[in-house]
Amino acid sequence: MLSLVWLSQYSQAQQKYTINGYAKDAENGEELIGVTVYVNELKVGTATNVYGFYALSLPAGDYTLIFSSVGYKTVTKQVSLTKNETFNIELPVEVTSLDEIVISGDPIDANVTDITMSRNELDIKQVKKLPALFGEPDIIKTIQMMPGVITAGEGTSSFFVRGGSADQNLILIDEAPVYDPSHLFGLFSVFNADVIKDSELYKGGIPARYGGRLSSILEVRTKDGNNKKIGGAAGIGTLASRFMLEGPIRKEKSSFIISGRRSYADLFLKAAGQENLVHFYDVNAKVNWKHNNNNRFFAALYLGRDVFNFDDTFGFDWGNITGTFRWNHLFNDRLFSNTSLIVSNFDYALEFDDDAQGFNWTSNLQEFSFKEDLNYFINTRNELEFGYHLTYRRFSPGEISPTSEASIFETQEIQNDYALDHSIYLGNEQRLSDRITLSYGARLSIFQNVGKSDVYIYEDPQDNIDIVHKDTLHYDHLENIKTYVNLEPRFAARFMINPRSSVKVSYNRMVQNTHLISSGTVPIPFNTWSPSNYYLKPQLADQVAVGYFRNFKDNTLEFSVESYYKDIDNVTDFADNAQLFFNKDLPTEYRQGDSWSYGLELMLQKKEGRFTGFASYTWSKTERKIDGVNLGRPFLANYDRRHVFNIVGTYDLNDKWSFGGSLTYSTGRPITVPAGRYKYGDTYQVDYISERNGYLLPDFHRMDLSATLTPRKNKDRKWKSNWVFSLYNAYSRKNAFTIYTRVQQDDEGNIINGDVKEARMISLFPVLPSVTYNIQF
């Protein structure tokens, strides 16, 4: 009998219950990502996921729960846990004086204690304070300042992460892929800062739920919309203006947000009688409905386009459309599900209006996805994530048609490609002890290149000069052409040296089955994409990284140093002098080989106080070796930069004035230029290329400055406003964008010596002042 009583008491003592819920912003009802939920008595905790949800499985008892997040007041709640409980919490925004440094007791510092490494979160409030080209805040420009990230130069939204090319970055907006993130060829990005809720860049240690690209994941999530009151924002800038409106549809149950941007240089040009018109626009929209605590629905839309017209004769345009429908469902107290239906479309068009040579060219890439992602909160030491993703892609490389009956062009179309991409993943984050945490898992990628399609069989697939077709294979709709199966293991570990420092290591394999058809450094909108296929193998990347993380001065200064090595198999390149435009025998131009990169990254960041900002330094080297390219000899990647140094900072002088600045320096990137020319008879006809990327552009450096004026009368008004003054390229440095060669000419373009070639440098922007007026209500 006594033994039965003891067993009953033991069972009750070990009985566990689950407490879960959502963490929200008390001001607007937005779910908060990464809020720390700490159980004071057990010295354990968790954090809200990307949808603001948390769950803790604890023995019955009385507990003190501490909810904390940077920028918000810490909330403490007493809980008596005798059954499963749902507890939603709202965190008020932390309001401090300028002289005050915010420290919430003894906070859990994610920089040191979190297992993630090689990840950068972007604070959109800080981004808005930084200098911006033409006064438009841009998270891409801030990302280009992060350690391990390299830019090709000014005027581009492209970035290169740890030895990977620009097409090896997966860029997501509300889970939907964006294939070209630029407006006006990179002057702006597609991301409107007014609607961004959260953004993070993974450079390594990539969780198993992500796949499809080799080098990085940039995930941008937009706001859900204020579910408590109507609000909005607007900005009038030098080159573009924007407007955003948000509010409840049904208070605290459903809400909306909609925003739009448009440049207006074309309106001024048209008013001045100019016929060369250039503009861009984009729209973000989102609605959500919270049926109950177990079911929430979201629908998001992005639409953006660039339009160029020259004298009503030549024009081109490109754009992205994405749509996401999400359903968050709580199956039980510990099993959370996110189901997504996603569509993405990228297209471009070229048109030349001429009776004899007029043509219209169109191309697009369409993607339809179903994603099922689940989180299972096993206990306070294990959090499991698993899921299944299915994507169908339609690649339309190009169709050309005449604009008149007299045109020399005939209607032609390069056949479409189709692909099915399946992936299954499983990962677990396990806290072995207070000092050691592990994250491990794997992703199984099953990629199918399917019909309807015809595949040419070449006598020599590597011969792009004398092309001989041996046979043609015909495949019906959805008939399998080629299947590639790859396992992508993921592993990470964190060891706490002491409460203020830790060591982290990570390994991940990534697979990429979509290839950008481009031989240039910077992707332009008129490049096309191709799936892995009969001739094109998937690209595979293995990366190992190790880092030391340390915080100083009560966690107000964060320091990290990371080193990595990345090896890429089947990296895609193209034969020297490849013909990529409207080539029906494009497989003969494919060249695949090896690439390797290694580097060292340092970062020092300050997040609290009057002065905030970061300094970063990157040393890296990236090489390639591909048969049929550069005579099979190793060569530097054309985005390789040995040294990159960045400083970014903002300073709040008082309630009225704040200042921002950035300084960037990097060594020149490699470039291919002719070393000489072959002479036939009395004329030079062919350039001689001695080495791929054998020359370096001059070093790059630039300083940007900004000042923000916020009228003090804002405190007593519902409508708030500020003025932002920016100075881009403050000392007017002429940075080289590229170098080209031409026969020697004078300043008026007259040929001086046809036997001599000279190098000419192209630089884009001198000093550019701008002013923007912003309002918020």
Side-chain angles (χ1 to χ4, degrees), residues 35 37 101 265 463 758:
V35 173
V37 186
I101 294 179
D463 187 351
E758 60 182 3

Side-chain angles (χ1 to χ4, degrees), residues 484-534:
Y484 295 100
V485 180
N486 287 284
L487 184 66
E488 305 173 56
R490 313 288 171 85
F491 175 80
R494 183 227 63 200
F495 176 76
M496 294 292 299
I497 300 173
N498 55 49
R500 292 292 177 262
S501 62
S502 65
V503 173
K504 304 178 188 181
V505 296
S506 68
Y507 162 77
N508 58 247
R509 167 170 284 192
M510 305 293 289
V511 176
Q512 180 166 334
N513 284 291
T514 54
H515 309 260
L516 185 66
I517 309 302
S518 171
S519 59
T521 304
V522 180
I524 61 173
F526 313 119
N527 297 142
T528 56
W529 294 76
S530 175
S532 295
N533 52 42
Y534 195 87

Side-chain angles (χ1 to χ4, degrees), residues 426-471:
L426 174 67
N428 184 45
E429 182 173 320
Q430 183 177 10
R431 287 173 281 278
L432 295 180
S433 67
D434 292 340
R435 288 197 169 196
I436 301 175
T437 300
L438 303 179
S439 176
Y440 48 86
R443 183 183 183 92
L444 181 65
S445 169
I446 305 172
F447 185 86
Q448 296 174 280
N449 178 213
V450 297
K452 188 176 182 179
S453 182
D454 293 336
V455 176
Y456 298 129
I457 304 301
Y458 299 97
E459 185 172 286
D460 182 2
Q462 298 293 295
D463 187 351
N464 62 344
I465 305 299
D466 298 318
I467 300 172
V468 178
H469 293 175
K470 291 175 58 180
D471 196 5

Side-chain angles (χ1 to χ4, degrees), residues 237-268:
T238 306
L239 191 62
S241 290
R242 62 190 189 277
F243 177 79
M244 182 272 286
L245 183 68
E246 61 179 334
I249 299 173
R250 183 180 175 187
K251 196 169 183 179
E252 298 193 5
K253 291 286 287 184
S254 59
S255 62
F256 75 92
I257 184 170
I258 185 168
S259 72
R261 287 190 302 174
R262 193 189 192 280
S263 65
Y264 33 66
D266 61 314
L267 303 180
F268 294 119

Side-chain angles (χ1 to χ4, degrees), residues 546-558:
V546 59
Y548 172 73
F549 300 79
R550 174 65 190 270
N551 285 1
F552 302 91
K553 292 189 175 181
D554 294 323
N555 296 323
T556 60
L557 286 177
E558 299 180 354

Side-chain angles (χ1 to χ4, degrees), residues 4 165 269 298 318 474 534 679 734:
L4 291 175
S165 54
L269 292 171
F298 306 80
W318 74 87
H474 305 281
Y534 195 87
K679 188 173 185 179
K734 290 185 177 180

